[in-house]
Amino acid sequence: MNRKKSIELLDLMYRIRFFEERTMKLFREGLIVGALHHYIGEEAIAVGACATAEEDDYVVSTHRGHGHCIAKGADLKRMMAELMGRETGYSKARGGSMHIFSIEEGLLGGNGIVGGGLPIALGSALSGQYRDSGQVTLCFFAEGAAARGTFHESLNLASLWKLPVVYICENNLWAATTYINYSLPIENIGDRASAYGIPGKVIDGNDVEKVYDTVDEAVKRARAGKGPTLIECKSFRHHPHCMVIPDTRPQDEVMEWKKKDPIPRFEKRLLGKKVITKTEMEKIRGKVNNMLDEAEEFGRKSSVPGVETVAEGLWA
Amino acid sequence: MNRKKSIELLDLMYRIRFFEERTMKLFREGLIVGALHHYIGEEAIAVGACATAEEDDYVVSTHRGHGHCIAKGADLKRMMAELMGRETGYSKARGGSMHIFSIEEGLLGGNGIVGGGLPIALGSALSGQYRDSGQVTLCFFAEGAAARGTFHESLNLASLWKLPVVYICENNLWAATTYINYSLPIENIGDRASAYGIPGKVIDGNDVEKVYDTVDEAVKRARAGKGPTLIECKSFRHHPHCMVIPDTRPQDEVMEWKKKDPIPRFEKRLLGKKVITKTEMEKIRGKVNNMLDEAEEFGRKSSVPGVETVAEGLWA
Amino acid sequence: MRELTYLDALNEALREEMERDENVFLIGEDIGSFGGVFGVEKGLWEKFGEKRVRQTPISEDAIVGTAVGAAMTGLRPVAEIMYIDFITCCMDQVVNQAAKLRYMSGGNLKMPLVIRAQGGSGTAEAAQHSQSLEAWFVHTPGLKVVMPATVYDAKGLLKTAIRDDNPVIFLEHRLLYNMKDNVPEGEWTVPFGKAEVKQEGKDITIVATSLMIHKALEAAKELAGNISIEVIDPKTLVPLDIDTILESVKKTSRLLVVHEAPTIAGVGAEIVRQVVEKAFDYLDGAPRVLGGKSIPMPFAPTLEKACTPQKEDIIKFVKEMV
Amino acid sequence: MRELTYLDALNEALREEMERDENVFLIGEDIGSFGGVFGVEKGLWEKFGEKRVRQTPISEDAIVGTAVGAAMTGLRPVAEIMYIDFITCCMDQVVNQAAKLRYMSGGNLKMPLVIRAQGGSGTAEAAQHSQSLEAWFVHTPGLKVVMPATVYDAKGLLKTAIRDDNPVIFLEHRLLYNMKDNVPEGEWTVPFGKAEVKQEGKDITIVATSLMIHKALEAAKELAGNISIEVIDPKTLVPLDIDTILESVKKTSRLLVVHEAPTIAGVGAEIVRQVVEKAFDYLDGAPRVLGGKSIPMPFAPTLEKACTPQKEDIIKFVKEMV
Ligand SMILES: Cc1ncc(C[n+]2csc(CCOP(=O)(O)OP(=O)(O)O)c2C)c(N)n1
Ligand SMILES: Cc1ncc(C[n+]2csc(CCOP(=O)(O)OP(=O)(O)O)c2C)c(N)n1
Ligand SMILES: [Mg+2]
Ligand SMILES: [Mg+2]
């Protein structure tokens, strides 16, 4: 990975981290309401994966989707405005945190239904294949979703039709308050690839370069018409499931994983390789913080949608 | 397998075959209406599998379920009456061919929904486990159902909870008019067992003894608290999907499979091993034919349910 | 004019729309070389190939999900659910995804998607193959709901559905598939939200859907001379042309809604609700609904018949009401 | 008497029924040591252990399927679907299996099964987490449908549901979970099919469900002195105590039904249908339904509020109607 790309990835990881921290603050202030699921700790997955994608590639996201949007290039202002329930938000405050769509940017939305995005990704992948446009779909889901029937129907059909889709399983070990040994009877979700006759990978999801390389190979494979890949990224979320559910995880487990935080880890690697200096890093952080100040400001200044507009956007 | 058991199995295979032939005749005469899916050609699976079960074990069946019922010991008269829409039928003519229930005999019904029985089998298996009664559930489904999400959710949960259930996949290569290469991207459904961390077997479903031995092992395993097994039985149905859909399969494929008919094959083996004589075989066939004459007669003589009873059986 | 079956009409609509717009494609079970278990897709696989006539495994969630994702990204899928009963296997995709995504995206995307299914009873296939579920979809914001009752409408409404940029639930009745009618050559479309007065009358208004239109017309014929019945086919339940119904009720002062789905919480109740709200003072008696019994459809044909409105039931109701 | 929340009441009902009958068990997501995401199962896992408090993967079809199979074979499962919206992921098991199997078996089996879920809006969770879907289940033969609005009823109806030998859809409202009330010690049950006149009145009858009972009572309070409102809680929609409603309407001559689900093809329409059919001559004006808008629930709280009936809307409707 060249210097420019590395720095770009670090920048995006900061954006996600700081965005999430900002939304936590705004939630506590009552400026963001509703369900809010944070991606902190898992940044390497979205960033590594989306960095392999072209602008017109598609991303199918989840309830924990801010990271995917940012990594795919979404505008922080419009995202923040959406979360704050403003009419300038991506979905005009109709969707909120779990439903940020931007078709032009290839963002096909988060999903309030766990496993609800997997079948949709079949369609966007088919769309690319149908037009022969080379467009690939990155389909994110987490280990909890891997227990849903939609996982099975989707991987089966994607394999049959050699659809250009990459399945990225974000295994953060917990689904709400349910530990993985309550949902998965085997070691790795990635190993289920064999049930569909497709390649399966199990990787360290906190290593952004590893994620990049693995997804890149899968994206190339998909673009070449060779069909889907299933990639399981082992990772962890630093915070509880969402803002209204307390943490139920053993604190030492959380501490252990915080030590593997993908951001300091990547920073250290870049510093070690002298790809970047501490000052440069500080500068990027400062810039991202400014972006978030602007985003917050943009949200605050934007209007909430007028009640008279409520039916707008229903029918095409 | 001892002589008595062997003859019992042959007898049951005849019952299924002749029952099905009889229902075809009655369908053509207009005495049976509705959806009618025949099991001819697949008798070895139901018979081999159910012969391993105790009376109080459960069977979850499919739309193509006559064989499972007969193999589990259902009364031909009441079955025939059900198909003929008579009030003496197992389900008082409320269910018909696809819905023959007999809780006392462990028959938890066929199912008009492909893959609809798989989750139900979790419950009957749990029931046995809960009571520590040793009851095992045999869950039949076919290769078409293996593409449904319910397959995945069910095997996953059964493995997690070590439920006493045996999954018996009747792979007859065709789902209605859809050949298996349109539904399965790998060679064997049995190989999917690894995705759930359970044993998987792929066997000749036209060899009744092989089916018996394989299911028997799985039943013992289940009864011992070691959890589910997935067994794929390769077989073929001799007739079209149902009475109202013409055959779309290559005729030479059908011919090839008819040569592997499980009944003559078992007869030959038994004759060869001198377990039975031709005369004895004739006698059993005669007996079964008589049973079917009686069943038909019973159906013909039974009344159709009175319209005034229509709401009976709705609420408990 | 030429004679077509309802089945032919659907087939023609699909063929013409696929010819007109290469983004239209079909997805469903057994729709490939066999042409669909009822034959609606007959010949289309041969003509348009596997790319556009996509036969799937038995995976309803995947079928509708594929359609949703494809519709969001520029294609115009027509998905087939073999029996409407099986839509229970993919309600999330229909209700939470197809119906809601456009609104949830703030109008950011379009969802030009048709889900075709056939339903109803009358073939002794029992409770899991005999439902009429339109009320669920009418109750779900974001879906259009269409129920063609004639050969002409089957073709014209399906073409309109395919050209609509919103998700459309298109409900056929399998007892209508072989119904024949003389219809024009060439192409036509039938607009959504426009009911048709199938027969004028002055004593009572019958609003009926799908197969029940034909039973209502038979009943009207049988009562002609004694009771003059106005028969209306709404054709689309969302959008619903309540104005045509109101106009008729203002004239006849009586309303009977007939549908095959259970009476309880069915679409008939909704039509009654709207009519009493908007034309209460015109009514000379209580509007009524004649729907199916609230019983899972029994297998035995006599029982099945007893659960579903028959011509005789309509006549009985009309006589009680007028 | 002591003070309990609606949540405590549900929890107590589960605990007592599990103590009473060892065949009762719980199945659902996050119901183990955490006690359910809303806390309904708090402490039950500790008390009854993993055998009877069964935390599952995210597999709604498997959850309800397990419950169906267990109910058929002698157990009495109480399944939790975390949000009613997610029941779309297992409608086949609910509608084609749980609801129909007893009848399809000719009464050969029993289906003593409760599916609990919470629903409604008001927490800015947007369209996929804010639905009220009771109309679907009321329309589905074979299901009982229960919507407790008070602490007392939450406990008493849940106990009745668990003891019923039929499948029961038990719909809670998450905005009610923290509602407190003084209720008796000891055990009580509340019968199905028995509506309660929450407040007597003579000018108009309001039938309201779940959370809307409380809004209707507030509206009645605000209008007291000017307009005398009778407020009725049906408590169970199947079976529906239409007699109590009819009796009231015969007295007041006016009916307003209020529910959170969309007005169109909602349960209100069904209640209107029955009332006009059976008490047309007693009505002084058109019965009306005040329900939610036919819009997927928007995220922004102002929009969300605009889609759901508020006290002010009830007052407006009542004033228009009386
Ligand atoms: C079908 C469905 N069932 C349950 C839920 C409730 N729910 C929301 S997030 C969640 C946990 C998801 O876990 P996982 O898939 O591992 O994603 P993570 O939150 O860990 O990123 C659950 C159970 C839901 N939204 N959809
Ligand atoms: C969920 C669902 N989808 C589709 C159907 C229609 N259908 C009935 S049988 C059948 C084929 C089943 O194939 P398979 O599972 O292989 O069983 P087989 O008939 O070969 O025994 C189909 C598609 C159905 N009943 N249920
Ligand atoms: Mg997780
Ligand atoms: Mg098959």
Side-chain angles (χ1 to χ4, degrees):
Chain A
M1 195 178 293
N2 66 25
R3 182 172 181 279
K4 184 154 162 280
K5 191 94 185 170
S6 298
I7 293 178
E8 199 182 300
L9 298 200
L10 184 65
D11 186 334
L12 285 166
M13 288 170 84
Y14 287 143
R15 288 192 208 191
I16 298 174
R17 177 73 50 104
F18 297 174
F19 181 88
E20 295 295 50
E21 287 170 351
R22 189 65 63 112
T23 65
M24 272 187 206
K25 182 195 83 132
L26 292 170
F27 188 92
R28 290 200 194 93
E29 288 177 33
L31 276 158
I32 293 178
V33 292
L36 197 60
H37 306 87
H38 288 109
Y39 198 68
I40 290 176
E42 305 183 37
E43 293 91 344
I45 308 176
V47 168
C50 292
T52 69
E54 302 291 335
E55 265 185 38
D56 66 350
D57 285 334
Y58 297 117
V59 166
V60 170
S61 172
T62 66
H63 59 287
R64 195 178 300 289
H66 307 161
H68 312 137
C69 295
I70 295 171
K72 188 72 181 19
D75 176 34
L76 301 185
K77 287 206 209 65
R78 294 184 64 197
M79 281 183 67
M80 195 62 93
E82 184 63 29
L83 269 61
M84 293 171 79
R86 310 298 160 131
E87 61 179 12
T88 52
Y90 265 112
S91 304
K92 300 198 180 126
R94 267 79 175 147
S97 160
M98 289 187 285
H99 310 291
I100 292 174
F101 295 80
S102 173
I103 299 298
E104 315 75 50
E105 291 163 298
L107 291 174
L108 303 187
N111 214 305
I113 306 299
V114 170
L118 285 147
I120 295 175
L122 294 170
S124 55
L126 176 66
S127 204
Q129 188 189 61
Y130 195 96
R131 282 187 295 267
D132 207 4
S133 62
Q135 287 165 286
V136 167
T137 295
L138 302 183
C139 177
F140 293 95
F141 63 101
E143 94 291 346
R148 288 231 28 233
T150 52
F151 168 87
H152 179 65
E153 294 196 3
S154 300
L155 271 74
N156 191 56
L157 192 65
S159 170
L160 276 169
W161 291 359
K162 292 205 182 312
L163 293 177
V165 50
V166 181
Y167 292 104
I168 301 163
C169 179
E170 308 182 307
N171 181 355
N172 61 13
L173 297 175
W174 291 83
T177 70
T178 298
Y179 189 60
I180 192 164
N181 66 358
Y182 276 81
S183 75
L184 187 72
I186 56 171
E187 190 65 24
N188 300 310
I189 289 166
D191 295 344
R192 287 186 165 164
S194 68
Y196 309 103
I198 62 174
K201 315 270 169 175
V202 181
I203 63 170
D204 178 352
N206 283 9
D207 179 345
V208 70
E209 288 171 304
K210 181 77 198 164
V211 173
Y212 178 85
D213 291 340
T214 313
V215 176
D216 193 45
E217 189 189 331
V219 163
K220 289 196 173 109
R221 197 171 183 277
R223 253 195 254 292
K226 293 187 185 148
T229 303
L230 171 62
I231 300 170
E232 176 182 0
C233 305
K234 308 266 190 195
S235 188
F236 202 75
R237 55 171 159 75
H238 290 185
H239 292 273
H241 174 66
C242 66
M243 292 300 284
V244 298
I245 291 191
D247 212 342
T248 52
R249 303 170 303 176
Q251 272 317 296
D252 49 349
E253 186 192 12
V254 178
M255 293 314 295
E256 272 315 303
W257 275 97
K258 280 189 176 166
K259 286 190 203 143
K260 304 187 220 163
D261 188 329
I263 294 184
R265 192 164 148 192
F266 191 43
E267 286 175 340
K268 214 164 170 187
R269 198 182 297 168
L270 294 184
L271 287 171
K273 288 207 236 157
K274 300 207 190 310
V275 172
I276 196 170
T277 64
K278 282 211 168 179
T279 338
E280 284 170 316
M281 249 159 50
E282 275 310 325
K283 229 174 103 184
I284 303 176
R285 286 209 208 100
K287 180 201 72 179
V288 172
N289 260 323
N290 286 342
M291 288 170 80
L292 282 158
D293 289 342
E294 281 171 35
E296 178 178 337
E297 192 58 18
F298 179 75
R300 283 180 186 271
K301 287 212 173 124
S302 297
S303 309
V304 298
V307 166
E308 70 289 352
T309 69
V310 69
E312 280 173 22
L314 177 53
W315 299 115
Chain B
M1 196 178 292
N2 66 24
R3 183 171 180 275
K4 185 156 162 278
K5 190 97 187 169
S6 297
I7 293 179
E8 199 182 301
L9 299 200
L10 185 64
D11 185 335
L12 285 166
M13 288 170 82
Y14 287 143
R15 288 192 207 190
I16 298 174
R17 177 72 51 102
F18 297 174
F19 181 88
E20 295 295 50
E21 287 170 352
R22 190 66 63 111
T23 66
M24 273 187 203
K25 182 196 83 136
L26 292 170
F27 188 93
R28 291 201 193 91
E29 289 177 34
L31 275 158
I32 293 177
V33 293
L36 197 60
H37 307 86
H38 288 109
Y39 197 67
I40 291 175
E42 306 183 37
E43 294 90 343
I45 308 176
V47 167
C50 292
T52 69
E54 302 291 334
E55 266 186 35
D56 66 350
D57 286 333
Y58 296 117
V59 165
V60 170
S61 172
T62 66
H63 58 286
R64 194 178 300 289
H66 307 161
H68 311 137
C69 295
I70 295 172
K72 188 70 184 12
D75 176 34
L76 302 186
K77 287 205 210 68
R78 294 185 64 196
M79 282 183 67
M80 196 63 92
E82 184 63 30
L83 269 61
M84 293 170 80
R86 309 297 160 131
E87 61 179 13
T88 51
Y90 265 113
S91 303
K92 300 196 180 129
R94 268 79 175 147
S97 159
M98 290 188 284
H99 310 290
I100 291 173
F101 294 80
S102 173
I103 299 299
E104 314 75 49
E105 291 163 298
L107 291 175
L108 304 186
N111 214 305
I113 306 300
V114 170
L118 285 146
I120 296 175
L122 294 170
S124 55
L126 175 66
S127 204
Q129 188 188 62
Y130 195 96
R131 281 187 294 268
D132 207 5
S133 61
Q135 287 165 285
V136 168
T137 295
L138 303 183
C139 177
F140 293 95
F141 63 102
E143 94 292 345
R148 287 231 29 233
T150 52
F151 168 88
H152 179 67
E153 294 196 4
S154 300
L155 271 73
N156 190 56
L157 193 65
S159 170
L160 276 169
W161 292 358
K162 292 206 182 311
L163 293 177
V165 51
V166 181
Y167 292 103
I168 301 162
C169 179
E170 309 182 306
N171 181 354
N172 60 13
L173 297 175
W174 292 84
T177 70
T178 299
Y179 190 59
I180 192 164
N181 66 357
Y182 276 82
S183 76
L184 186 73
I186 57 172
E187 189 65 22
N188 299 311
I189 288 166
D191 296 343
R192 286 186 166 165
S194 68
Y196 309 102
I198 62 174
K201 315 270 167 173
V202 180
I203 62 170
D204 177 351
N206 283 9
D207 179 345
V208 69
E209 288 170 304
K210 181 78 197 166
V211 173
Y212 177 86
D213 291 340
T214 313
V215 175
D216 193 46
E217 189 188 332
V219 164
K220 289 197 173 110
R221 196 171 184 278
R223 252 195 255 290
K226 294 188 186 149
T229 303
L230 171 62
I231 301 169
E232 176 182 1
C233 305
K234 309 266 190 195
S235 187
F236 201 74
R237 54 171 160 76
H238 290 185
H239 292 273
H241 174 67
C242 66
M243 292 300 285
V244 298
I245 292 190
D247 212 343
T248 53
R249 302 169 303 176
Q251 272 317 297
D252 49 349
E253 186 192 11
V254 178
M255 292 314 293
E256 271 315 303
W257 275 97
K258 279 189 176 166
K259 288 189 202 143
K260 303 187 219 161
D261 188 330
I263 294 184
R265 191 162 148 193
F266 191 43
E267 286 174 340
K268 215 169 175 178
R269 198 182 296 168
L270 295 185
L271 287 171
K273 288 207 233 154
K274 301 207 190 308
V275 171
I276 197 170
T277 64
K278 284 211 168 179
T279 338
E280 284 168 316
M281 248 159 51
E282 276 311 324
K283 229 175 102 185
I284 303 176
R285 286 209 208 101
K287 180 200 71 178
V288 171
N289 261 324
N290 287 342
M291 288 170 80
L292 283 158
D293 289 342
E294 281 171 34
E296 178 178 337
E297 193 58 17
F298 179 77
R300 284 180 187 270
K301 287 211 174 128
S302 297
S303 309
V304 298
V307 165
E308 71 290 352
T309 70
V310 67
E312 280 173 23
L314 177 54
W315 299 114
Chain C
M1 300 288 264
R2 71 224 148 101
E3 203 177 51
L4 278 190
T5 64
Y6 187 93
L7 210 69
D8 297 332
L10 295 166
N11 182 271
E12 244 186 43
L14 293 175
R15 173 177 292 123
E16 289 177 13
E17 293 306 300
M18 291 178 81
E19 277 168 353
R20 196 185 52 78
D21 183 347
E22 64 177 345
N23 289 322
V24 175
F25 74 95
L26 312 183
I27 180 166
E29 293 157 16
D30 297 300
I31 66 170
S33 57
F34 190 65
V37 292
F38 296 99
V40 174
E41 292 86 356
K42 202 63 99 195
L44 300 179
W45 180 81
E46 288 79 356
K47 184 168 168 62
F48 297 103
E50 229 156 56
K51 176 181 169 192
R52 298 183 65 194
V53 181
R54 308 193 70 96
Q55 175 167 312
T56 69
I58 306 173
S59 302
E60 280 76 9
D61 255 329
I63 291 171
V64 177
T66 302
V68 167
M72 286 167 76
T73 54
L75 302 184
R76 305 188 80 85
V78 181
E80 175 173 298
I81 297 295
M82 198 187 289
Y83 282 68
I84 191 63
D85 312 71
F86 311 156
I87 208 155
T88 53
C89 301
C90 55
M91 282 294 276
D92 171 50
Q93 289 299 321
V94 176
V95 167
N96 291 329
Q97 314 299 339
K100 296 184 178 22
L101 293 194
R102 175 173 161 79
Y103 185 76
M104 281 200 297
S105 76
N108 206 320
L109 57 87
K110 283 185 184 155
M111 194 62 75
L113 151 64
V114 180
I115 301 177
R116 287 182 43 250
Q118 58 76 36
S121 61
T123 49
E125 292 180 79
Q128 296 173 337
H129 283 75
S130 303
Q131 292 168 90
S132 299
L133 298 174
E134 62 276 10
W136 291 359
F137 306 111
V138 171
H139 189 54
T140 304
L143 299 174
K144 298 193 175 179
V145 183
V146 181
M147 295 186 87
T150 67
V151 176
Y152 185 90
D153 288 346
K155 181 170 177 188
L157 288 169
L158 184 50
K159 290 174 70 100
T160 303
I162 293 172
R163 297 178 194 186
D164 199 293
D165 278 338
N166 299 288
V168 178
I169 309 292
F170 192 91
L171 299 167
E172 303 155 16
H173 198 299
R174 71 180 163 284
L175 293 190
L176 293 175
Y177 278 148
N178 294 320
M179 183 182 57
K180 286 183 179 152
D181 205 356
N182 281 315
V183 292
E185 305 277 346
E187 96 139 31
W188 68 89
T189 61
V190 174
F192 284 7
K194 193 82 208 67
E196 184 180 333
V197 178
K198 306 293 290 186
Q199 171 178 311
E200 299 206 8
K202 57 184 180 38
D203 298 330
I204 184 169
T205 300
I206 295 184
V207 175
T209 55
S210 189
L211 180 66
M212 291 299 140
I213 271 293
H214 304 284
K215 303 212 175 181
L217 288 170
E218 285 171 35
K221 206 165 161 190
E222 197 158 320
L223 291 171
N226 299 311
I227 305 176
S228 160
I229 304 181
E230 181 139 310
V231 179
I232 296 179
D233 180 358
K235 297 186 186 183
T236 62
L237 299 173
V238 179
L240 177 70
D241 178 6
I242 191 69
D243 291 338
T244 297
I245 296 169
L246 287 172
E247 209 178 297
S248 173
V249 171
K250 286 179 184 173
K251 179 174 70 174
T252 64
S253 307
R254 286 187 165 80
L255 171 69
L256 172 63
V257 187
V258 186
H259 56 58
E260 194 170 330
T263 301
I264 295 187
V267 166
E270 172 58 20
I271 293 174
V272 166
R273 182 192 70 78
Q274 293 194 34
V275 167
V276 291
E277 179 165 333
K278 292 169 185 148
F280 189 72
D281 294 336
Y282 293 89
L283 290 165
D284 276 352
R288 292 185 69 185
V289 178
L290 170 57
K293 284 207 169 52
S294 277
I295 292 177
M297 193 58 71
F299 160 65
T302 45
L303 299 184
E304 186 181 28
K305 232 177 136 186
C307 287
T308 323
Q310 305 298 327
K311 184 187 68 180
E312 296 69 34
D313 302 310
I314 301 176
I315 291 174
K316 182 169 157 283
F317 266 61
V318 167
K319 284 186 175 162
E320 283 170 16
M321 290 174 69
V322 177
Chain D
M1 300 288 264
R2 71 228 147 97
E3 203 177 52
L4 279 190
T5 64
Y6 186 92
L7 209 68
D8 298 332
L10 295 166
N11 182 271
E12 248 186 38
L14 293 176
R15 172 176 293 124
E16 289 177 12
E17 292 306 301
M18 291 178 80
E19 278 169 353
R20 197 186 51 81
D21 182 348
E22 64 177 346
N23 289 322
V24 176
F25 74 94
L26 313 183
I27 180 167
E29 294 158 17
D30 296 301
I31 67 170
S33 58
F34 190 65
V37 292
F38 296 98
V40 174
E41 292 86 356
K42 202 61 101 198
L44 300 179
W45 180 80
E46 288 79 356
K47 185 170 169 60
F48 296 103
E50 230 156 53
K51 176 181 169 191
R52 298 184 65 194
V53 181
R54 308 194 69 97
Q55 175 167 312
T56 68
I58 306 173
S59 302
E60 280 76 10
D61 255 329
I63 292 171
V64 177
T66 302
V68 167
M72 286 166 76
T73 54
L75 303 183
R76 305 189 79 85
V78 181
E80 175 174 298
I81 297 296
M82 197 187 289
Y83 283 67
I84 191 62
D85 313 72
F86 312 155
I87 208 154
T88 52
C89 301
C90 55
M91 281 294 275
D92 170 50
Q93 288 299 320
V94 177
V95 166
N96 291 330
Q97 314 300 339
K100 296 185 178 22
L101 293 196
R102 176 174 159 78
Y103 184 77
M104 280 201 296
S105 76
N108 206 319
L109 56 87
K110 283 184 182 156
M111 194 62 76
L113 152 65
V114 180
I115 301 176
R116 288 181 44 250
Q118 58 76 35
S121 62
T123 49
E125 292 179 81
Q128 295 172 338
H129 284 75
S130 302
Q131 292 169 90
S132 300
L133 298 175
E134 62 274 11
W136 290 0
F137 306 110
V138 172
H139 189 54
T140 303
L143 299 174
K144 297 193 175 179
V145 183
V146 181
M147 295 186 86
T150 68
V151 176
Y152 186 90
D153 288 345
K155 181 170 176 188
L157 288 169
L158 184 50
K159 289 174 72 100
T160 303
I162 293 171
R163 297 178 193 186
D164 199 292
D165 277 338
N166 299 288
V168 178
I169 308 291
F170 192 91
L171 299 167
E172 302 154 16
H173 197 298
R174 70 181 163 285
L175 292 190
L176 294 176
Y177 278 147
N178 294 320
M179 183 182 57
K180 285 184 181 150
D181 206 355
N182 282 314
V183 292
E185 305 278 343
E187 96 139 30
W188 67 89
T189 62
V190 173
F192 284 6
K194 192 81 208 70
E196 184 179 333
V197 178
K198 306 294 290 186
Q199 170 177 311
E200 300 207 6
K202 58 185 178 43
D203 298 330
I204 183 169
T205 301
I206 295 185
V207 176
T209 55
S210 189
L211 180 66
M212 291 299 141
I213 271 293
H214 304 284
K215 302 212 176 179
L217 288 170
E218 284 171 34
K221 204 164 162 189
E222 197 158 319
L223 291 171
N226 298 312
I227 304 177
S228 161
I229 304 182
E230 182 140 311
V231 179
I232 296 179
D233 180 357
K235 298 187 186 182
T236 62
L237 299 174
V238 179
L240 177 70
D241 178 6
I242 191 69
D243 291 338
T244 297
I245 297 170
L246 288 172
E247 209 178 296
S248 173
V249 170
K250 286 179 184 173
K251 180 174 70 174
T252 63
S253 307
R254 287 189 163 80
L255 171 68
L256 172 63
V257 187
V258 186
H259 57 57
E260 194 170 329
T263 301
I264 295 187
V267 166
E270 172 59 19
I271 293 175
V272 166
R273 181 192 71 78
Q274 293 195 35
V275 167
V276 292
E277 179 166 333
K278 292 169 185 149
F280 189 73
D281 294 335
Y282 292 88
L283 290 166
D284 277 352
R288 291 185 69 184
V289 179
L290 170 58
K293 284 207 168 54
S294 277
I295 292 177
M297 194 58 71
F299 161 66
T302 45
L303 300 184
E304 187 181 27
K305 232 179 136 184
C307 286
T308 324
Q310 304 298 328
K311 184 186 69 180
E312 297 68 34
D313 302 311
I314 301 177
I315 291 174
K316 182 170 156 283
F317 266 60
V318 167
K319 285 187 174 162
E320 283 170 17
M321 290 174 69
V322 177

